[in-house]
Amino acid sequence: MTTSALGRARRTALAGALCAGLAVGMTGLTGCGAEQDPDAGTNGVGKLSATKIQRRAQNAAESANSVRLSGSVVSKGTTYKLDMKLTEDGGSGEVRFEDGRFELLRVDGQLYLKADADFWSTEGDSSQGGRGKDEPDSADELAADKLDGKYVKVPQGDPAYKQLSGFTDKGLLLDGLLTLHGKLSAGERGTADGKRTVAVSGDKGAGGTLHVSLEGTAYPLRLERAGGAGTLRMTDWNTKFRFRKPDARHTVDYGKKLPTS
């Protein structure tokens, strides 16, 4: 190697080292060969308009066979913590709230509710599993003991069926959750569950913010609900969840109406 060639090699190496060092602590540099395109290596969704990103996420969610939905939902002053596994024709999981918890299972068109005796004997709104405030408690307490830890088959004609089954309905839940309110804007980049995301917000976040995957299929991965009404994660898309009917020995069937209705 000639002297001039050696000099060029040294200058090239020094320039490369300088660029690498600057890129570690600074952004927006040009001319050093650093990657400047935030959409490089992504599915390209980040280049779309906010409306199209939201639509792409909604379509991906609708096309998926299953999802796991977990996090918190604030409704009428009560915070509910959900952890539900949902498919096209069923669902299973747990709902927690301030005074207790219950489990839900929907399989083969049947909905089952499982909770402890305290849940069944709690006074308050019967839609949350408790008896009415003005009802006598002796019979209910006896019934609560019998229902403790059992899967109670919820009759389709019972008012609680529509309310509770919504927690296990993938289409119904996602249709409502993935709708943002107000003027949409997009562009903020981040991560969710280790995947790069682009955020779509309604009314600068006041109408909710949806974080959509920039890797692979454009699934919605996290939702910050409007008005600070909770945050939900959507994971395990297209995972094969299998639900089975509970054993008859652990099931109670009350016919047309639940005893607490």
Side-chain angles (χ1 to χ4, degrees):
M1 180 180 292
T2 65
T3 301
S4 59
L6 179 60
R8 286 196 299 272
R10 291 184 62 189
R11 286 194 296 273
T12 300
L14 288 171
L18 177 59
C19 282
L22 290 174
V24 171
M26 302 179 67
T27 58
L29 295 174
T30 59
C32 286
E35 183 60 68
Q36 298 300 313
D37 184 1
D39 293 302
T42 72
N43 53 24
V45 169
K47 298 180 180 180
L48 303 178
S49 67
T51 300
K52 289 183 178 180
I53 295 174
Q54 182 190 31
R55 187 179 303 124
R56 184 73 65 87
Q58 290 173 326
N59 290 340
E62 183 179 349
S63 300
N65 295 322
S66 62
V67 65
R68 182 175 183 177
L69 185 68
S70 60
S72 61
V73 172
V74 180
S75 177
K76 297 180 180 179
T78 299
T79 299
Y80 298 89
K81 293 185 178 181
L82 313 179
D83 190 355
M84 304 296 301
K85 295 177 180 178
L86 308 168
T87 67
E88 292 295 318
D89 56 3
S92 176
E94 176 184 75
V95 179
R96 291 181 176 270
F97 53 99
E98 184 179 357
D99 297 325
R101 59 176 290 276
F102 58 87
E103 297 177 28
L104 290 171
L105 170 64
R106 185 167 61 88
V107 57
D108 295 337
Q110 301 295 336
L111 179 67
Y112 301 89
L113 171 64
K114 181 181 179 181
D116 60 20
D118 288 340
F119 173 89
W120 289 105
S121 61
T122 297
E123 294 187 7
D125 185 354
S126 61
S127 68
Q128 294 184 11
R131 54 184 165 81
K133 291 182 178 180
D134 298 328
E135 296 180 30
D137 60 4
S138 57
D140 289 332
E141 289 177 356
L142 181 60
D145 290 337
K146 293 182 178 180
L147 300 178
D148 184 25
K150 299 286 188 180
Y151 283 96
V152 178
K153 188 176 180 180
V154 183
Q156 293 191 10
D158 192 283
Y161 184 91
K162 184 176 181 180
Q163 294 169 321
L164 295 173
S165 63
F167 286 108
T168 67
D169 191 320
K170 171 181 171 287
L172 183 63
L173 272 178
L174 294 182
D175 282 348
L177 291 173
L178 300 183
T179 299
L180 302 174
H181 304 284
K183 183 178 180 181
L184 300 183
S185 59
E188 182 179 347
R189 306 306 172 94
T191 60
D193 295 312
K195 293 184 178 180
R196 286 184 290 173
T197 60
V198 59
V200 180
S201 297
D203 280 344
K204 298 181 180 180
T209 298
L210 187 65
H211 300 265
V212 180
S213 178
L214 286 172
E215 301 179 23
T217 303
Y219 289 123
L221 299 182
R222 188 171 73 246
L223 171 69
E224 296 158 16
R225 301 186 71 215
T231 300
L232 292 163
R233 296 172 61 229
M234 288 156 278
T235 59
D236 298 329
W237 289 100
N238 278 324
T239 297
K240 291 184 178 180
F241 299 131
R242 299 185 183 278
F243 309 129
R244 296 181 179 179
K245 282 187 176 182
D247 190 290
R249 294 173 300 173
H250 302 106
T251 305
V252 178
D253 187 346
Y254 270 93
K256 295 183 178 181
K257 187 173 288 188
L258 291 179
T260 53
S261 299

Short mmCIF file of all heavy atoms in Angstrom, two decimals, residues 109-149:
data_model
loop_
_atom_site.label_atom_id
_atom_site.label_comp_id
_atom_site.label_asym_id
_atom_site.label_seq_id
_atom_site.Cartn_x
_atom_site.Cartn_y
_atom_site.Cartn_z
N GLY A 109 -71.83 -21.30 22.96
CA GLY A 109 -73.03 -20.49 23.11
C GLY A 109 -73.54 -20.34 24.52
O GLY A 109 -74.54 -19.65 24.75
N GLN A 110 -72.87 -20.94 25.48
CA GLN A 110 -73.30 -20.86 26.88
C GLN A 110 -72.34 -19.96 27.66
O GLN A 110 -71.13 -20.00 27.46
CB GLN A 110 -73.32 -22.25 27.51
CG GLN A 110 -74.25 -23.24 26.83
CD GLN A 110 -75.71 -22.84 26.93
OE1 GLN A 110 -76.11 -22.11 27.83
NE2 GLN A 110 -76.52 -23.31 26.00
N LEU A 111 -72.91 -19.17 28.56
CA LEU A 111 -72.13 -18.26 29.39
C LEU A 111 -72.16 -18.73 30.83
O LEU A 111 -73.23 -19.02 31.38
CB LEU A 111 -72.69 -16.84 29.30
CG LEU A 111 -71.99 -15.78 30.16
CD1 LEU A 111 -70.56 -15.54 29.66
CD2 LEU A 111 -72.78 -14.47 30.14
N TYR A 112 -70.98 -18.80 31.45
CA TYR A 112 -70.86 -19.24 32.84
C TYR A 112 -70.17 -18.15 33.66
O TYR A 112 -69.22 -17.51 33.19
CB TYR A 112 -70.06 -20.54 32.93
CG TYR A 112 -70.66 -21.69 32.15
CD1 TYR A 112 -70.31 -21.89 30.82
CD2 TYR A 112 -71.56 -22.57 32.75
CE1 TYR A 112 -70.86 -22.94 30.09
CE2 TYR A 112 -72.11 -23.63 32.03
CZ TYR A 112 -71.76 -23.81 30.70
OH TYR A 112 -72.30 -24.84 29.98
N LEU A 113 -70.65 -17.99 34.89
CA LEU A 113 -70.10 -17.01 35.82
C LEU A 113 -69.64 -17.74 37.07
O LEU A 113 -70.40 -18.52 37.66
CB LEU A 113 -71.17 -15.98 36.18
CG LEU A 113 -70.88 -14.98 37.29
CD1 LEU A 113 -69.71 -14.08 36.91
CD2 LEU A 113 -72.11 -14.13 37.57
N LYS A 114 -68.41 -17.50 37.48
CA LYS A 114 -67.86 -18.16 38.66
C LYS A 114 -67.35 -17.11 39.64
O LYS A 114 -66.61 -16.21 39.27
CB LYS A 114 -66.72 -19.10 38.27
CG LYS A 114 -66.10 -19.86 39.43
CD LYS A 114 -64.97 -20.74 38.92
CE LYS A 114 -64.29 -21.50 40.05
NZ LYS A 114 -63.17 -22.35 39.56
N ALA A 115 -67.75 -17.22 40.91
CA ALA A 115 -67.32 -16.26 41.93
C ALA A 115 -67.44 -16.91 43.30
O ALA A 115 -67.99 -18.01 43.45
CB ALA A 115 -68.18 -15.01 41.85
N ASP A 116 -66.93 -16.21 44.31
CA ASP A 116 -67.02 -16.75 45.67
C ASP A 116 -68.31 -16.29 46.34
O ASP A 116 -69.09 -15.50 45.79
CB ASP A 116 -65.80 -16.37 46.50
CG ASP A 116 -65.62 -14.85 46.62
OD1 ASP A 116 -66.60 -14.11 46.41
OD2 ASP A 116 -64.50 -14.41 46.94
N ALA A 117 -68.54 -16.78 47.56
CA ALA A 117 -69.78 -16.47 48.27
C ALA A 117 -69.92 -14.98 48.54
O ALA A 117 -71.03 -14.43 48.49
CB ALA A 117 -69.83 -17.26 49.58
N ASP A 118 -68.82 -14.30 48.84
CA ASP A 118 -68.88 -12.87 49.12
C ASP A 118 -69.42 -12.10 47.92
O ASP A 118 -70.18 -11.14 48.07
CB ASP A 118 -67.50 -12.32 49.48
CG ASP A 118 -67.05 -12.78 50.87
OD1 ASP A 118 -67.93 -13.16 51.67
OD2 ASP A 118 -65.84 -12.73 51.14
N PHE A 119 -69.03 -12.50 46.74
CA PHE A 119 -69.50 -11.83 45.53
C PHE A 119 -71.02 -11.96 45.41
O PHE A 119 -71.72 -10.98 45.15
CB PHE A 119 -68.83 -12.46 44.31
CG PHE A 119 -69.37 -11.98 42.99
CD1 PHE A 119 -68.82 -10.87 42.37
CD2 PHE A 119 -70.42 -12.64 42.36
CE1 PHE A 119 -69.31 -10.43 41.14
CE2 PHE A 119 -70.91 -12.20 41.14
CZ PHE A 119 -70.35 -11.10 40.54
N TRP A 120 -71.54 -13.15 45.62
CA TRP A 120 -72.97 -13.38 45.45
C TRP A 120 -73.80 -12.72 46.55
O TRP A 120 -74.97 -12.38 46.34
CB TRP A 120 -73.26 -14.88 45.43
CG TRP A 120 -72.79 -15.54 44.18
CD1 TRP A 120 -71.70 -16.35 44.04
CD2 TRP A 120 -73.37 -15.44 42.88
NE1 TRP A 120 -71.55 -16.77 42.74
CE2 TRP A 120 -72.58 -16.22 42.00
CE3 TRP A 120 -74.48 -14.78 42.36
CZ2 TRP A 120 -72.87 -16.34 40.65
CZ3 TRP A 120 -74.78 -14.90 41.01
CH2 TRP A 120 -73.97 -15.69 40.17
N SER A 121 -73.23 -12.53 47.71
CA SER A 121 -74.00 -11.95 48.81
C SER A 121 -73.81 -10.45 48.96
O SER A 121 -74.40 -9.82 49.83
CB SER A 121 -73.60 -12.63 50.13
OG SER A 121 -72.23 -12.43 50.42
N THR A 122 -72.96 -9.84 48.12
CA THR A 122 -72.70 -8.40 48.20
C THR A 122 -73.94 -7.61 47.85
O THR A 122 -74.60 -7.88 46.85
CB THR A 122 -71.56 -8.00 47.24
OG1 THR A 122 -70.37 -8.65 47.65
CG2 THR A 122 -71.34 -6.49 47.28
N GLU A 123 -74.25 -6.62 48.66
CA GLU A 123 -75.38 -5.76 48.35
C GLU A 123 -75.01 -4.82 47.22
O GLU A 123 -73.87 -4.44 47.05
CB GLU A 123 -75.77 -4.94 49.59
CG GLU A 123 -76.31 -5.77 50.73
CD GLU A 123 -76.84 -4.90 51.86
OE1 GLU A 123 -76.90 -3.67 51.66
OE2 GLU A 123 -77.19 -5.44 52.90
N GLY A 124 -76.00 -4.42 46.47
CA GLY A 124 -75.76 -3.45 45.41
C GLY A 124 -76.42 -3.86 44.13
O GLY A 124 -77.35 -4.66 44.10
N ASP A 125 -75.91 -3.31 43.05
CA ASP A 125 -76.47 -3.53 41.73
C ASP A 125 -76.34 -4.99 41.33
O ASP A 125 -75.25 -5.53 41.28
CB ASP A 125 -75.71 -2.64 40.72
CG ASP A 125 -76.31 -2.71 39.33
OD1 ASP A 125 -77.22 -3.51 39.13
OD2 ASP A 125 -75.84 -1.93 38.48
N SER A 126 -77.44 -5.62 40.99
CA SER A 126 -77.40 -7.03 40.63
C SER A 126 -76.64 -7.27 39.35
O SER A 126 -76.21 -8.39 39.07
CB SER A 126 -78.82 -7.57 40.47
OG SER A 126 -79.51 -6.89 39.43
N SER A 127 -76.43 -6.23 38.52
CA SER A 127 -75.66 -6.41 37.29
C SER A 127 -74.20 -6.71 37.60
O SER A 127 -73.46 -7.20 36.76
CB SER A 127 -75.75 -5.15 36.42
OG SER A 127 -75.09 -4.06 37.03
N GLN A 128 -73.75 -6.40 38.84
CA GLN A 128 -72.40 -6.72 39.24
C GLN A 128 -72.37 -8.01 40.05
O GLN A 128 -71.34 -8.38 40.62
CB GLN A 128 -71.81 -5.58 40.08
CG GLN A 128 -71.62 -4.30 39.30
CD GLN A 128 -70.96 -3.23 40.12
OE1 GLN A 128 -70.45 -3.47 41.21
NE2 GLN A 128 -70.95 -2.02 39.61
N GLY A 129 -73.49 -8.69 40.10
CA GLY A 129 -73.51 -9.97 40.78
C GLY A 129 -74.12 -9.92 42.15
O GLY A 129 -74.41 -10.96 42.75
N GLY A 130 -74.32 -8.73 42.71
CA GLY A 130 -74.85 -8.63 44.06
C GLY A 130 -76.36 -8.60 44.06
O GLY A 130 -77.01 -8.39 43.06
N ARG A 131 -76.97 -8.81 45.20
CA ARG A 131 -78.42 -8.74 45.31
C ARG A 131 -78.85 -7.29 45.44
O ARG A 131 -78.05 -6.40 45.72
CB ARG A 131 -78.89 -9.53 46.53
CG ARG A 131 -78.21 -9.12 47.82
CD ARG A 131 -78.66 -10.03 48.97
NE ARG A 131 -77.79 -9.90 50.13
CZ ARG A 131 -77.86 -8.93 51.02
NH1 ARG A 131 -78.73 -7.98 50.88
NH2 ARG A 131 -77.06 -8.91 52.06
N GLY A 132 -80.12 -7.01 45.25
CA GLY A 132 -80.65 -5.66 45.37
C GLY A 132 -80.58 -5.18 46.80
O GLY A 132 -80.62 -5.97 47.74
N LYS A 133 -80.54 -3.88 46.99
CA LYS A 133 -80.38 -3.31 48.32
C LYS A 133 -81.56 -3.62 49.23
O LYS A 133 -81.39 -3.74 50.44
CB LYS A 133 -80.21 -1.79 48.20
CG LYS A 133 -78.89 -1.37 47.57
CD LYS A 133 -78.77 0.14 47.54
CE LYS A 133 -77.44 0.57 46.94
NZ LYS A 133 -77.30 2.03 46.90
N ASP A 134 -82.76 -3.73 48.67
CA ASP A 134 -83.94 -3.91 49.50
C ASP A 134 -84.35 -5.37 49.68
O ASP A 134 -85.36 -5.67 50.30
CB ASP A 134 -85.12 -3.13 48.90
CG ASP A 134 -84.83 -1.64 48.86
OD1 ASP A 134 -84.12 -1.16 49.76
OD2 ASP A 134 -85.31 -0.97 47.92
N GLU A 135 -83.59 -6.29 49.11
CA GLU A 135 -83.96 -7.69 49.20
C GLU A 135 -83.52 -8.26 50.54
O GLU A 135 -82.49 -7.89 51.10
CB GLU A 135 -83.29 -8.49 48.07
CG GLU A 135 -83.77 -8.09 46.69
CD GLU A 135 -83.07 -8.90 45.61
OE1 GLU A 135 -82.71 -10.06 45.89
OE2 GLU A 135 -82.89 -8.38 44.50
N PRO A 136 -84.29 -9.21 51.08
CA PRO A 136 -83.87 -9.88 52.31
C PRO A 136 -82.62 -10.68 52.05
O PRO A 136 -82.37 -11.14 50.95
CB PRO A 136 -85.07 -10.79 52.63
CG PRO A 136 -85.76 -11.00 51.31
CD PRO A 136 -85.59 -9.71 50.57
N ASP A 137 -81.82 -10.85 53.10
CA ASP A 137 -80.52 -11.47 52.88
C ASP A 137 -80.43 -12.92 53.30
O ASP A 137 -79.48 -13.60 52.95
CB ASP A 137 -79.44 -10.67 53.61
CG ASP A 137 -79.65 -10.61 55.11
OD1 ASP A 137 -80.60 -11.23 55.62
OD2 ASP A 137 -78.84 -9.94 55.78
N SER A 138 -81.38 -13.46 54.03
CA SER A 138 -81.24 -14.82 54.55
C SER A 138 -81.19 -15.85 53.44
O SER A 138 -80.29 -16.70 53.40
CB SER A 138 -82.40 -15.13 55.51
OG SER A 138 -83.64 -14.96 54.83
N ALA A 139 -82.15 -15.77 52.51
CA ALA A 139 -82.17 -16.73 51.41
C ALA A 139 -80.96 -16.53 50.51
O ALA A 139 -80.39 -17.50 50.00
CB ALA A 139 -83.46 -16.59 50.62
N ASP A 140 -80.60 -15.27 50.31
CA ASP A 140 -79.46 -14.98 49.44
C ASP A 140 -78.16 -15.51 50.03
O ASP A 140 -77.29 -16.00 49.31
CB ASP A 140 -79.34 -13.48 49.20
CG ASP A 140 -80.45 -12.96 48.30
OD1 ASP A 140 -80.94 -13.74 47.47
OD2 ASP A 140 -80.81 -11.79 48.43
N GLU A 141 -78.01 -15.39 51.33
CA GLU A 141 -76.79 -15.90 51.97
C GLU A 141 -76.70 -17.40 51.84
O GLU A 141 -75.62 -17.96 51.62
CB GLU A 141 -76.76 -15.47 53.43
CG GLU A 141 -76.52 -13.97 53.62
CD GLU A 141 -76.56 -13.56 55.08
OE1 GLU A 141 -76.86 -14.43 55.92
OE2 GLU A 141 -76.28 -12.38 55.37
N LEU A 142 -77.84 -18.06 51.97
CA LEU A 142 -77.85 -19.51 51.80
C LEU A 142 -77.49 -19.88 50.36
O LEU A 142 -76.70 -20.80 50.12
CB LEU A 142 -79.23 -20.07 52.16
CG LEU A 142 -79.39 -21.59 52.05
CD1 LEU A 142 -78.40 -22.29 52.99
CD2 LEU A 142 -80.82 -22.00 52.38
N ALA A 143 -78.07 -19.13 49.41
CA ALA A 143 -77.78 -19.38 48.00
C ALA A 143 -76.31 -19.09 47.69
O ALA A 143 -75.67 -19.80 46.92
CB ALA A 143 -78.68 -18.52 47.12
N ALA A 144 -75.78 -18.03 48.31
CA ALA A 144 -74.39 -17.66 48.08
C ALA A 144 -73.44 -18.78 48.46
O ALA A 144 -72.46 -19.05 47.77
CB ALA A 144 -74.05 -16.38 48.85
N ASP A 145 -73.73 -19.44 49.58
CA ASP A 145 -72.88 -20.55 50.01
C ASP A 145 -72.90 -21.69 48.99
O ASP A 145 -71.88 -22.34 48.74
CB ASP A 145 -73.34 -21.06 51.38
CG ASP A 145 -73.04 -20.07 52.50
OD1 ASP A 145 -72.13 -19.25 52.31
OD2 ASP A 145 -73.72 -20.11 53.54
N LYS A 146 -74.08 -21.91 48.40
CA LYS A 146 -74.19 -22.98 47.41
C LYS A 146 -73.48 -22.62 46.10
O LYS A 146 -73.04 -23.50 45.37
CB LYS A 146 -75.66 -23.28 47.13
CG LYS A 146 -76.40 -23.90 48.32
CD LYS A 146 -77.85 -24.21 47.95
CE LYS A 146 -78.58 -24.86 49.11
NZ LYS A 146 -80.00 -25.17 48.78
N LEU A 147 -73.41 -21.33 45.83
CA LEU A 147 -72.80 -20.88 44.57
C LEU A 147 -71.30 -20.65 44.69
O LEU A 147 -70.64 -20.44 43.67
CB LEU A 147 -73.46 -19.57 44.12
CG LEU A 147 -74.96 -19.64 43.84
CD1 LEU A 147 -75.47 -18.26 43.44
CD2 LEU A 147 -75.27 -20.64 42.76
N ASP A 148 -70.79 -20.68 45.88
CA ASP A 148 -69.37 -20.39 46.13
C ASP A 148 -68.47 -21.30 45.29
O ASP A 148 -68.49 -22.52 45.43
CB ASP A 148 -69.06 -20.59 47.61
CG ASP A 148 -67.61 -20.23 47.95
OD1 ASP A 148 -67.02 -19.42 47.21
OD2 ASP A 148 -67.10 -20.75 48.95
N GLY A 149 -67.69 -20.69 44.38
CA GLY A 149 -66.75 -21.46 43.58
C GLY A 149 -67.35 -22.30 42.48
O GLY A 149 -66.64 -23.06 41.83
#
